[in-house]
């Protein structure tokens, strides 16, 4: 009997566990958490990879910290029969959003997910009866779970867990009035405040709480202009209103349709303005903290409050200025249409006579949040302000001159009503609207800067347009039409322009293109090789100048232009397969070329005068673990080749250290050095704690290397880096010091000379050592080992290009330029640390940034999906 009793208990527990872990079959919309900001449903048949390469996806890349291309490529390549259902933007933390992917899949992820497990790590865990797998690729962590036919993944476990809670009913899902169809953009209007707060400084966040309350999620139709001369987009839809008490903003935009009147009072130099309608409050809004003398009077004397309220009309407006008067920070003004201007002035004069306010000429100085919210609506946060008049409109602001400027601007017709760009937008809007918003992107950004976090992603939004116009039109008590249109202002300069595209016929470059003059023209040519062994030289206009072939041998690295014969006629040298090829300017093979090495070449070649006799040699590494120095006859010079214990895969370095010319090379965790004679340099090889990536560089008589363990190593008689900033690994005739950079693999090293920098007190100049980590961080160190610059682009870094400092937008300030693994080019101003968004967003590799036409503007040349593309980057405005 007891045995049967325990058997029943065990059966009950097992049954209960199975019932808890059994996932119900629900639509994918149940996977969208309630506080999701946006949902995108791609067109039918869009693959994950296709979506990640669209221009539309580049904006998402900027607005979130997710590695969009990295995640999408890994999932798409790992499983079959997968169809992207939706992409959601979820506010995972207080300062950033994450992407949440939902796809439909007929296959189990168990067949492939374990291939990406990390050894000795927790690679999965249970959540709500499901297994959440953590997989790692190129330094990016991706969390993935399967719920019946739905595949849910994100690089944020917070977003993924929120999705699963919603699916199982442990937390609310987003409320869709109708199930979304393909090709839609869903705006979760009522919860947008959580998304906006991510950009805003903490002190300003309470003012945004529930600011969109009362509005429901809405589906917007997305239309994008295909005109490259006038790029624009439009979002249109109907926003529903629920039974909750609406916020002042939603109420003001949706209350009543009337013709626009206040645009004749809005200054023409405004950064942004909004026109709304709200009936003046009949009951005072009491301050949350202290009450002023006037506040107490208006709260305790309803007749006094009502006498002012009845002079006001429902239309009111908000104006924002990037700067005005003597102030460098932005200011703003509230306007209120008046029913009885003379009566309001009479009431204010009475209050002035009683000492509640001050009469200052034609304006009044007021200390009252109650009166501020009555005139400016409850969105107005003024306590101390000035009231001025312009016809039948009252203007309030914190500065007297600004409020009084409303009347002078109106009299001189310096108002937005006469602005051409605004006039165009006004013609396309309905005769009557319930709300209207207008903004100039650059000016609005300047206004908002003091209210935002020091580092935020808002700039990516403002760089998408010049002019923003939003029109609202009331339909009934339950809904209003919403139309958002962006446009490029007439006469505005585009940040870049495509010059040409040269097809690569589906092949990749073997290395970055090089620039050189091979035909004796006034302009230099772009020379490059592709993985199928084709060598090409094209003119600055993209036309073919010369071509050659390695006859199927796969090139290693970039071509090299060198005066091989010392006759001022450069030739093109290129390693491919087991051969070294050499061509003249017409594409004909040079005598004694190709040079056969009888072993596969494993690293880009170096061409230099090793013997210092005016005749060049070629330094070349092969897969039989040898390093050769080849002369003009195609033979090794005396003392060479030299054998190693591991293959060399990075370009060797020939340089002078401590007054002695030597050849330097990394092989795994070893730094080799040889004298020109082939003898091993005293003190070498040096064995390191970790392997090296990239090529060695020389600085101040020491050799620097990028460690796979996240350290920069300095090796020599007197290594770089101060003792206080570094770790001494070995102190001998040849010593090793290291500085810790990151817990991630470093890809390469570079050096920059005499860079202008700025700290908290002054400008100064310094040489810099540059490096980047696999996970997408860029670092610049001073020679003594102090971190001077650091940026992160939130996704793995590309190993096809090393970060550089260059004035990419020709504004006379150096910029950090770096490339992500999936081809997005990132740039930041060195002095201001601000991100530069006005760059091509195409996925690219092996970029070359040069002044191709000699006109002072830089060109960007890179491999893209369409071929080798060239853009001119225009000077920053």
């Amino acid at each position: 009997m007891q045995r049967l009793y325990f058997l029943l208990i065990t059966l009950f527990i097992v049954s209960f566990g199975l019932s808890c872990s059994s996932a119900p079959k629900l639509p994918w919309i149940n996977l969208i958490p309630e506080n999701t900001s946006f949902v995108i449903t791609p067109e039918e048949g869009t693959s994950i990879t296709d979506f990640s390469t669209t221009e539309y996806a580049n904006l998402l890349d900027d607005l979130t910290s997710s590695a969009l291309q990295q995640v999408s490529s890994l999932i798409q390549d790992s499983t079959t029969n997968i169809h992207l259902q939706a992409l959601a933007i979820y506010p995972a933390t207080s300062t950033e959003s994450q992407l949440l992917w939902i796809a439909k899949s007929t296959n189990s992820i168990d067949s492939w997910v374990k291939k990406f497990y990390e050894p000795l790590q927790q690679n999965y865990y249970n959540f709500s009866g499901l297994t959440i797998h953590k997989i790692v690729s190129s330094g990016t962590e991706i969390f993935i779970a399967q719920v019946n036919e739905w595949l849910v993944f994100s690089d944020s476990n917070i977003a993924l867990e929120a999705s699963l809670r919603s699916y199982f009913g442990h937390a609310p899902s987003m409320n869709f009035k109708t199930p979304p169809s393909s090709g839609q953009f869903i705006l979760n209007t009522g919860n947008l405040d959580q998304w906006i707060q991510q950009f805003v400084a903490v002190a300003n966040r309470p003012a945004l709480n529930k600011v969109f309350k009362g509005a429901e999620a809405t589906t917007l139709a997305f239309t994008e202009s295909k005109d490259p001369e006038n790029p624009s987009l439009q979002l249109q839809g109907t926003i529903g209103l629920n039974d909750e008490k609406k916020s002042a903003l939603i109420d003001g935009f949706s209350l009543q349709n009337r013709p626009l009147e206040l645009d004749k009072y809005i200054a023409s130099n405004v950064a942004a303005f909004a026109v709304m309608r709200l009936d003046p409050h009949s009951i005072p809004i009491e301050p949350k903290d202290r009450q002023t003398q006037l506040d107490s009077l208006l709260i305790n004397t309803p007749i006094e409050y009502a006498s002012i309220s009845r002079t006001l009309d429902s239309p009111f407006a908000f104006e924002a200025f990037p700067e005005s008067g003597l102030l460098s920070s932005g200011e703003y003004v509230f306007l209120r249409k008046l029913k009885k201007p003379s009566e309001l002035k009479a009431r204010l004069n009475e209050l002035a006579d009683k000492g509640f306010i001050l009469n200052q000429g034609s304006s009044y100085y007021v200390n009252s949040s109650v009166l501020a919210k009555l005139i400016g609506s409850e969105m107005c946060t003024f306590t101390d302000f000035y009231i001025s008049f312009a016809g039948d409109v009252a203007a309030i602001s914190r500065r007297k001159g600004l409020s009084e400027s409303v009347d002078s601007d109106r009299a001189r017709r310096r108002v937005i009503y006469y602005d051409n760009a605004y006039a165009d937008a006004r013609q396309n809007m309905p005769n009557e609207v319930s709300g209207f918003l207008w903004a100039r992107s650059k000016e609005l950004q300047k206004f908002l800067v003091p209210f935002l976090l020091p580092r935020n992603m808002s700039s990516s939004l403002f760089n998408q347009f010049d002019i923003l116009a939003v029109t609202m039109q009331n339909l009934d008590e339950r809904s209003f039409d919403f139309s958002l249109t962006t446009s490029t202002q007439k006469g505005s300069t585009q940040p870049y322009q495509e010059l040409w595209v040269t097809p690569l016929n589906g092949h990749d470059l073997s290395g970055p293109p090089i620039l050189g003059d091979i035909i004796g023209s006034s302009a230099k040519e772009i020379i490059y090789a592709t993985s199928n062994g084709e060598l090409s030289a094209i003119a600055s206009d993209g036309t073919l100048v010369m071509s050659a072939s390695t006859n199927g041998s796969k090139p290693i690295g970039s071509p090299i232009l060198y005066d091989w014969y010392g006759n001022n006629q450069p030739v093109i040298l290129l390693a491919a397969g087991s051969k070294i090829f050499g061509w003249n300017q017409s594409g004909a093979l040079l005598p004694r070329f190709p040079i056969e090495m009888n072993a596969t070449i494993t690293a880009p070649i170096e061409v230099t005068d090793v013997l210092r006799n005016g005749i060049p040699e070629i330094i070349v590494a092969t897969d039989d673990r040898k390093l050769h120095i080849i002369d003009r006859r195609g033979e090794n010079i005396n003392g060479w080749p030299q054998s190693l214990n591991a293959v060399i895969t990075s370009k060797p370095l020939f340089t002078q250290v401590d007054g002695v010319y030597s050849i330097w090379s990394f092989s795994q965790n070893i730094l080799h050095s040889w004298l020109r004679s082939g003898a091993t340099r005293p003190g070498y090889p040096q064995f390191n704690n970790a392997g090296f990536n990239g090529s060695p560089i020389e600085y101040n008589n020491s050799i620097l290397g990028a460690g796979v363990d996240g350290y920069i190593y300095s090796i020599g008689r007197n290594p770089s880096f101060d003792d206080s900033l570094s770790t001494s690994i070995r102190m001998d005739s040849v010593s090793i010091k290291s500085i810790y950079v990151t817990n991630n693999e470093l890809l390469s090293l570079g050096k920059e000379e005499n860079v202008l920098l700025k700290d908290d007190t002054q400008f100064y100049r310094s040489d810099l050592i540059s490096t980047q980590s696999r996970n997408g961080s860029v670092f610049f160190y001073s020679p003594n080992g102090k971190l001077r610059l650091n940026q992160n682009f939130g996704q793995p870094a590309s190993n096809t290009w090393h970060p550089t400092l260059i004035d990419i937008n020709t504004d006379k300030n150096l910029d950090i330029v770096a490339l992500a693994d999936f081809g997005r080019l990132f740039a930041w101003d060195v002095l201001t640390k601000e991100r530069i968004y006005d760059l091509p967003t195409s996925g690219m590799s092996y970029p070359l940034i040069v002044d191709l036409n000699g006109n002072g503007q830089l060109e960007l040349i890179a491999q893209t999906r369409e071929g080798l593309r060239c853009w001119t980057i225009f000077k920053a405005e």
Side-chain angles (χ1 to χ4, degrees):
M1 185 69 182
Q2 188 176 22
R3 183 177 179 184
L4 177 62
Y5 174 73
F6 282 110
L7 182 63
L8 289 173
I9 291 178
T10 303
L11 181 62
F12 172 77
I13 293 172
V14 171
S15 300
F16 181 76
L18 289 174
S19 66
C20 289
S21 61
S22 177
K25 291 189 175 182
L26 300 172
W28 66 264
I29 57 176
N30 291 78
L31 287 161
I32 306 295
E34 181 184 39
N35 58 333
T36 298
S37 305
F38 309 98
V39 179
I40 300 160
T41 57
E43 295 290 345
E44 193 77 32
T46 302
S47 72
I48 294 176
T49 304
D50 287 343
F51 180 84
S52 68
T53 57
T54 61
E55 294 291 324
Y56 188 64
N58 287 318
L59 179 59
L60 299 180
D61 209 21
D62 291 333
L63 288 178
T64 72
S65 58
S66 294
L68 186 146
Q69 287 90 353
Q70 175 76 7
V71 174
S72 61
S73 179
L74 173 62
I75 300 298
Q76 188 72 52
D77 293 344
S78 300
T79 185
T80 57
N81 298 323
I82 180 171
H83 303 283
L84 182 60
Q85 202 75 33
L87 187 65
I89 299 180
Y90 180 78
T93 70
S94 64
T95 57
E96 61 183 29
S97 290
Q98 297 284 353
L99 294 182
L100 178 69
W101 303 75
I102 299 172
K104 191 173 184 178
S105 176
T106 57
N107 298 331
S108 170
I109 62 175
D110 294 335
S111 61
W112 60 268
V113 72
K114 293 179 182 178
K115 293 188 297 184
F116 296 94
Y117 279 3
E118 290 259 284
L120 306 176
Q121 298 289 325
Q122 181 180 347
N123 294 295
Y124 63 89
Y125 62 96
N126 292 321
F127 185 84
S128 293
L130 291 177
T131 300
I132 294 179
H133 302 270
K134 184 183 77 171
I135 59 181
V136 180
S137 176
S138 298
T140 297
E141 290 184 348
I142 302 170
F143 297 89
I144 183 169
Q146 190 163 24
V147 190
N148 298 319
E149 61 183 346
W150 306 122
L151 208 60
V152 196
F153 51 96
S154 174
D155 45 10
S156 165
N157 66 319
I158 297 174
L160 182 56
E161 290 176 10
S163 175
L164 296 178
R165 286 192 194 96
S166 299
Y167 188 87
F168 286 102
H170 302 152
S173 296
M174 185 171 163
N175 182 22
F176 294 90
K177 297 193 76 172
T178 57
S181 56
S182 60
Q184 292 185 330
F185 180 88
I186 298 100
L187 182 72
N188 194 6
T189 319
N191 287 285
L192 273 185
D193 56 308
Q194 295 183 44
W195 179 71
I196 296 174
Q197 284 175 348
Q198 295 177 123
F199 304 96
V200 176
V202 174
N204 298 316
R205 290 182 182 179
L208 295 171
N209 191 39
K210 302 295 183 183
V211 72
F212 297 101
K213 183 180 178 182
E216 295 183 337
T218 186
T219 298
L220 301 176
F222 178 87
T223 308
E224 190 171 11
S225 165
K226 302 300 182 183
D227 181 6
E229 298 298 323
N230 186 25
S232 64
L233 64 84
Q234 190 171 45
L235 290 171
Q236 287 184 302
T238 299
I239 296 180
L241 301 173
N242 55 38
D243 294 329
E244 288 186 284
K245 181 183 178 182
K246 294 186 285 293
S247 68
L249 182 69
I250 295 299
D251 218 4
F253 276 138
S254 64
L255 183 65
Q256 181 187 20
N257 294 328
R258 279 178 59 175
L260 280 181
E261 302 171 81
L262 292 178
D263 53 357
K264 295 181 180 179
Y265 297 84
I266 306 291
S268 59
N269 64 331
V270 70
F273 73 90
V275 177
M276 295 167 272
R277 286 176 185 84
L278 277 178
D279 292 327
H281 282 280
S282 57
I283 300 175
I285 299 175
E286 297 191 25
K288 292 182 179 179
D289 42 22
R290 70 179 185 87
Q291 291 184 11
T292 67
Q293 186 180 13
L294 181 54
D295 286 337
S296 299
L297 173 69
L298 297 175
I299 291 169
N300 298 319
T301 315
I303 295 176
E304 191 71 45
Y305 183 86
S307 69
I308 297 175
S309 178
R310 65 171 175 259
T311 68
L312 309 179
D313 204 348
S314 60
F316 72 102
F318 169 84
E319 290 184 84
F321 298 88
E323 54 189 44
S324 57
L326 300 175
L327 299 179
S328 59
S329 59
E331 297 182 278
Y332 50 96
V333 178
F334 282 90
L335 307 180
R336 173 69 75 166
K337 189 80 164 54
L338 303 175
K339 291 179 181 177
K340 303 173 182 178
S342 58
E343 187 173 330
L344 176 58
K345 290 179 183 178
R347 298 281 80 75
L348 294 177
N349 286 329
E350 290 176 3
L351 291 173
D353 292 341
K354 296 176 182 178
F356 289 100
I357 64 176
L358 295 177
N359 190 331
Q360 296 189 350
S362 59
S363 300
Y364 301 87
Y365 173 73
V366 181
N367 184 358
S368 169
S369 68
V370 172
L371 187 55
K373 293 185 183 302
L374 176 59
I375 297 174
S377 84
E378 61 188 87
M379 288 180 276
C380 180
T381 58
F382 293 159
T383 299
D384 301 289
F385 60 93
Y386 291 88
I387 303 177
S388 303
F389 293 89
D392 58 352
V393 167
I396 64 172
S397 76
R398 286 197 174 102
R399 188 166 61 84
K400 180 184 177 185
L402 186 57
S403 61
E404 290 181 346
S405 69
V406 175
D407 191 41
S408 60
D409 285 341
R410 180 180 69 99
R412 293 174 174 81
R413 297 175 62 142
R414 295 185 305 203
V415 290
I416 199 70
Y417 183 82
Y418 300 104
D419 181 88
N420 290 333
Y422 172 72
D424 291 341
R426 205 177 198 277
Q427 285 181 345
N428 296 322
M429 74 172 69
N431 292 328
E432 294 189 345
V433 296
S434 57
F436 181 75
L437 185 147
W438 167 271
R440 296 184 176 99
S441 63
K442 291 182 175 59
E443 288 77 8
L444 178 58
Q445 189 175 10
K446 291 177 184 177
F447 169 78
L448 289 175
V449 164
F451 304 97
L452 303 179
L453 291 168
R455 291 194 177 190
N456 63 81
M457 298 179 179
S458 64
S459 294
S460 60
L461 282 176
F462 293 113
N463 278 271
Q464 303 299 315
F465 61 89
D466 287 338
I467 300 292
L468 171 73
V470 182
T471 303
M472 279 72 65
Q473 190 175 32
N474 175 272
L475 297 177
D476 50 45
E477 293 182 353
R478 305 288 298 186
S479 62
F480 65 95
D481 265 346
F482 174 92
S483 176
L484 180 152
T485 303
T486 69
S487 60
T488 302
Q489 198 163 8
K490 291 179 181 178
S492 65
T493 302
Q494 296 301 304
Y496 55 85
Q497 178 184 18
E498 184 178 292
L499 294 185
W500 45 260
V501 180
T502 296
L504 296 175
N505 300 318
H507 300 287
D508 294 330
L509 296 183
S510 61
I514 65 169
L515 202 65
D517 182 11
I518 61 171
I519 61 174
S521 63
S522 58
K524 293 182 178 181
E525 290 77 47
I526 303 111
I527 308 165
Y528 60 92
T530 54
S531 56
N532 65 332
E534 296 298 317
L535 176 89
S536 300
I538 57 177
S540 59
D541 61 359
T543 57
L544 185 66
V545 170
M546 183 272 281
S547 64
S549 174
T550 64
N551 298 318
S553 296
K554 186 176 181 179
I556 301 100
S558 302
I560 292 176
L561 201 62
Y562 201 92
D563 185 6
W564 182 250
Y565 297 110
N567 58 359
N568 294 322
Q569 291 291 324
V571 303
I572 301 172
L573 301 172
L574 177 67
S578 61
K579 301 174 182 178
I580 302 172
F581 291 82
W583 299 275
N584 64 16
Q585 67 270 22
S586 62
L589 277 171
L590 301 172
R592 300 184 183 273
F593 285 92
I595 299 171
E596 176 61 62
M597 300 302 301
N598 297 315
T600 301
I601 300 171
T602 57
I605 58 174
E606 174 71 291
V607 183
T608 185
D609 181 6
V610 174
L611 297 179
R612 313 309 292 167
N613 59 2
I615 301 173
E617 289 82 28
I618 304 173
I619 306 175
V620 54
T622 52
D623 68 352
D624 55 358
R625 296 182 297 177
K626 290 182 179 179
L627 187 67
H628 306 259
I629 299 182
I630 304 298
D631 62 17
R632 282 187 184 174
R633 295 171 297 173
E635 300 174 355
N636 275 291
I637 65 174
N638 289 335
W640 295 87
Q642 289 295 319
S643 297
L644 303 93
N645 62 340
V647 173
I648 295 172
T649 58
S650 60
K651 190 173 185 175
L653 171 69
F654 177 72
T655 191
Q656 193 178 45
V657 174
D658 295 326
V660 179
Y661 281 100
S662 306
I663 296 95
W664 306 84
S665 187
F666 292 138
S667 63
Q668 294 183 357
N669 67 323
I670 306 170
L671 172 62
H672 294 275
S673 182
W674 299 270
L675 303 176
R676 290 174 290 168
S677 64
T680 300
R681 184 175 173 125
Y684 294 88
Q686 283 289 323
F687 293 82
N688 192 41
N689 295 337
F692 293 103
N693 278 331
S695 296
I697 67 169
E698 182 275 334
Y699 186 85
N700 197 23
N701 284 319
S702 64
I703 298 297
L704 304 179
V708 299
D709 57 353
Y711 285 79
I712 296 177
Y713 290 89
S714 177
I715 304 171
R717 290 200 306 176
N718 295 294
S720 302
F721 313 144
D722 290 349
D723 291 341
S724 60
L725 299 171
S726 65
T727 301
S728 295
I729 298 172
R730 186 176 302 119
M731 300 303 291
D732 207 333
S733 59
V734 176
S735 302
I736 301 178
K737 286 185 178 181
S738 67
I739 53 171
Y740 173 75
V741 179
T742 175
N743 60 359
N744 206 261
E745 179 181 8
L746 298 182
L747 296 181
S748 55
L749 283 185
K751 57 183 178 181
E752 305 281 349
E753 296 182 352
N754 199 32
V755 179
L756 179 65
L757 300 170
K758 183 179 71 170
D759 60 18
D760 294 336
T761 59
Q762 62 181 351
F763 290 92
Y764 64 98
R765 289 190 175 273
S766 174
D767 293 346
L768 296 175
I769 306 300
S770 59
T771 189
Q772 67 176 342
S773 63
R774 175 75 69 182
N775 66 354
S777 291
V778 182
F779 307 88
F780 290 81
Y781 284 85
S782 63
N784 68 341
K786 187 172 184 179
L787 181 64
R788 295 300 188 184
L789 299 171
N790 174 223
Q791 292 292 348
N792 183 285
F793 39 87
Q795 51 188 282
S798 171
N799 60 5
T800 69
W801 199 63
H802 184 78
T804 188
L805 297 183
I806 190 170
D807 182 9
I808 193 167
N809 57 358
T810 55
D811 66 349
K812 299 183 179 180
N813 292 321
L814 281 178
D815 308 306
I816 301 170
V817 184
L819 186 68
D821 191 29
F822 283 84
R824 184 70 183 275
L825 196 69
F826 290 81
W828 300 266
D829 186 288
V830 166
L831 297 180
T832 66
K833 312 297 189 298
E834 291 182 0
R835 170 96 177 267
I836 298 170
Y837 288 92
D838 291 338
L839 298 173
T841 56
S842 298
M844 64 185 73
S845 56
Y846 297 115
L848 172 67
I849 304 172
V850 291
D851 183 0
L852 191 60
N853 301 316
N855 59 2
Q857 292 179 325
L858 293 180
E859 274 69 46
L860 168 62
I861 306 162
Q863 174 189 322
T864 67
R865 294 176 68 185
E866 296 78 15
L868 191 69
R869 295 177 72 175
C870 178
W871 299 267
T872 292
I873 310 298
F874 294 129
K875 183 176 180 180
E877 294 182 352

